[in-house]
Amino acid sequence: MRGFLASSIGVTCAAALALPLALPSADARAATPAAPPAVPPAAEGIPGSTQSLPLAPLASDRSSGPNEREQGLARRDVRPFALVGVVWDDPTDELRGTVQVRTRASGTTTWSGWQSVETHNHEHAADPETLERGTGKVRGATAPLWVGDSDGVEVRVRAEFERHGDHNRTGALLPEGLRLELVDPGDEPPPLGSQTEVPRLTPGMTVEPEAASAVNADLAPMDAAAIPELTKQQTEDELLAARGGPEVAGQARPYIGPRPRIITRKGWGADERIREKDFAYTQTVKAAFVHHSASGNNYRCSQAGSVLRSIYRYHVKSSGWRDFGYNFAIDKCGNIYEGRAGGVAKPVLGAHTLGFNANSTGIAVLGTYSSANPPKAAVTAIARLAAWKLGLHGADPEGTTHLKSGGGNLYKKGTNVRLRVISGHRDGYATECPGKQLYAKLGTARSSAARYQGR
């Protein structure tokens, strides 16, 4: 299995780190394909689906041409779904305007009020000039919005107006190829039973799911639903053993927080066949960027797996990304989830902070925290996860670091930027993410993470 993994890496790290799992060698870079391989069709029995509906000019819009200033869909019956978003052809285009949807709860005649969809989502993406960005599959997209079990939908997209002088104003044009994406997350995965009884090799597993499990195999049994938490002493011992043991000269006790329990991709039901099969790595993890998913707060923690499967499918099938964008996700009850595949202990290259995905990790709290206060459990989970993940790479949660910009609207490509080791998305890109209220809690997360590390 290790031989297979080493031969199936998309972007490898330039220098191997002493982590619980050996990182791929630099030789694997030569095998990197020019574009991700074609994704095979989902096999029968795998849950989840996406309906993609083209938008049309609304009756109130008298303009002509491909870029009408008001598009949408009238109320209609559709197959069941739980998450919505709008995508368009060119990922460099911005949707300058508003997107509103209303939905009908499944099996009822009850329609919701109009709900706004966050339109500024292009800053959650792969860096410019990377393999993931250059596949030709990436689209522009709004943030996804979780609406719960629904079978009816109506949407309207309106371009904003720009005022010129005292009286004249012109409307911005909408991007071309607007489509409404309706995502059904499918059913919950079946229970896996006792983790200690899960076999090392699972009969019937295809290559992609088995590889996804194998990268975490040193932390939990193959195909486990969760990676168990460890005490601080156990975590330190594990890291020292990976570095050659405490007897190695100069091996002081590391500053690292206790490993938290992490629900694996298997645990939340990720369909490994829809993502690109290879893994992508960066050199190290110097910083953690905190996000909110902007998908709304109207979910129960028991539904978090469905929310994750929906966002995952939206990122891959609708937005054209290689995988789930964030490295980790946290629900409002403080549960921590593995995000992008490649191993929770490894420096997996994500698509979360445009311009600063290299040498960082992305942590998204499920929900919208522009005006709502994030739950204490979620803030605590950020601190616990950061203390462990940053500790693997010797980073101080209360410190600063330097990252080189890959290009964005705050820093030009190549700029060496000083950032907090635990930063908000807005620190690297001009965006509202992670929301005003969550951003205000990052100081608490930093101090708590440092305390967990024993600093």
Side-chain angles (χ1 to χ4, degrees):
M1 177 55 66
R2 291 296 177 84
F4 164 77
L5 290 175
S7 65
S8 62
I9 298 301
V11 180
T12 64
C13 57
L17 299 175
L19 295 175
L21 286 174
L23 298 183
S25 69
D27 294 338
R29 275 178 289 195
T32 299
V39 178
E44 184 178 356
I46 295 297
S49 64
T50 302
Q51 302 171 70
S52 186
L53 307 176
L55 302 190
L58 296 177
S60 60
D61 186 5
R62 298 181 179 179
S63 65
S64 60
N67 288 324
E68 292 85 358
R69 297 189 177 106
E70 187 172 4
Q71 296 186 32
L73 290 175
R75 286 190 182 188
R76 66 172 60 190
D77 297 338
V78 292
R79 298 194 306 274
F81 68 97
L83 180 139
V84 304
V86 171
V87 301
W88 53 92
D89 294 341
D90 188 344
T92 64
D93 281 350
E94 291 187 44
L95 198 167
R96 299 182 180 180
T98 60
V99 176
Q100 292 182 307
V101 299
R102 53 183 172 187
T103 55
R104 184 185 63 210
S106 291
T108 74
T109 59
T110 304
W111 284 81
S112 70
W114 286 105
Q115 300 183 75
S116 295
V117 179
E118 174 58 61
T119 60
H120 300 291
N121 192 53
H122 58 279
E123 65 269 18
H124 301 81
D127 290 349
E129 301 180 14
T130 59
L131 288 176
E132 182 170 3
R133 192 63 178 261
T135 63
K137 300 178 182 179
V138 179
R139 305 177 186 92
T142 68
L145 178 68
W146 174 262
V147 295
D149 294 337
S150 305
D151 58 12
V153 68
E154 182 178 8
V155 61
R156 59 192 184 194
V157 180
R158 292 173 175 167
E160 67 183 10
F161 281 93
E162 300 174 349
R163 183 172 295 279
H164 301 276
D166 294 333
H167 304 288
N168 298 326
R169 63 178 189 166
T170 60
L173 296 179
L174 293 173
E176 294 186 6
L178 288 172
R179 302 183 71 87
L180 177 67
E181 302 289 291
L182 305 176
V183 182
D184 170 21
D187 298 327
E188 293 297 315
L192 297 179
S194 171
Q195 294 180 25
T196 60
E197 297 173 0
V198 175
R200 294 289 296 182
L201 294 176
T202 305
M205 286 184 75
T206 63
V207 169
E208 289 83 2
E210 189 161 326
S213 293
V215 290
N216 289 321
D218 285 1
L219 308 180
M222 183 79 79
D223 209 20
I227 295 168
E229 63 182 330
L230 297 179
T231 66
K232 180 172 174 56
Q233 182 69 53
Q234 290 171 325
T235 305
E236 291 176 356
D237 291 344
E238 180 182 71
L239 182 56
L240 286 173
R243 291 176 175 176
E247 68 279 359
V248 176
Q251 287 280 31
R253 300 301 298 185
Y255 288 110
I256 185 171
R259 188 179 75 198
R261 179 177 182 268
I262 301 172
I263 298 170
T264 65
R265 290 169 63 92
K266 181 70 176 181
W268 57 263
D271 181 357
E272 301 297 348
R273 287 166 292 189
I274 71 170
R275 64 170 174 84
E276 183 185 341
K277 69 177 182 180
D278 296 337
F279 304 128
Y281 297 99
T282 185
Q283 293 179 336
T284 185
V285 176
K286 299 169 66 176
F289 285 98
V290 177
H291 307 257
H292 67 175
S293 63
S295 52
N297 302 321
N298 189 27
Y299 72 93
R300 301 184 303 275
C301 291
S302 60
Q303 296 176 307
S306 293
V307 176
L308 287 168
R309 293 195 303 280
S310 297
I311 295 175
Y312 171 43
R313 179 170 282 273
Y314 184 72
H315 283 177
V316 176
K317 290 293 190 180
S318 302
S319 303
W321 299 358
R322 73 193 309 275
D323 194 357
F324 190 83
Y326 308 106
N327 298 102
F328 297 93
I330 294 170
D331 67 27
K332 56 189 176 182
C333 291
N335 298 303
I336 300 171
Y337 301 85
E338 177 184 15
R340 179 162 287 208
V344 296
K346 293 186 176 184
V348 177
L349 179 65
H352 50 84
T353 305
L354 183 66
F356 292 102
N357 290 304
N359 298 329
S360 72
T361 194
I363 302 171
V365 180
L366 298 180
T368 304
Y369 298 104
S370 302
S371 56
N373 286 318
K376 182 178 179 181
V379 177
T380 299
I382 293 171
R384 296 186 67 227
L385 175 59
W388 173 71
K389 182 68 176 181
L390 294 170
L392 290 173
H393 300 269
D396 180 356
E398 290 189 296
T400 60
T401 189
H402 285 84
L403 293 176
K404 183 173 291 187
S405 173
N409 64 2
L410 273 183
Y411 303 102
K412 293 181 179 180
K413 182 179 178 179
T415 305
N416 201 29
V417 182
R418 186 180 182 185
L419 292 161
R420 302 293 297 263
V421 168
I422 297 180
S423 286
H425 186 179
R426 63 176 62 182
D427 294 320
Y429 198 96
T431 174
E432 291 297 314
C433 184
K436 179 180 178 181
Q437 300 304 321
L438 179 54
Y439 188 76
K441 298 294 185 182
L442 295 189
T444 299
R446 293 183 189 107
S447 58
S448 296
R451 186 172 64 253
Y452 288 132
Q453 284 190 349
R455 294 183 184 271

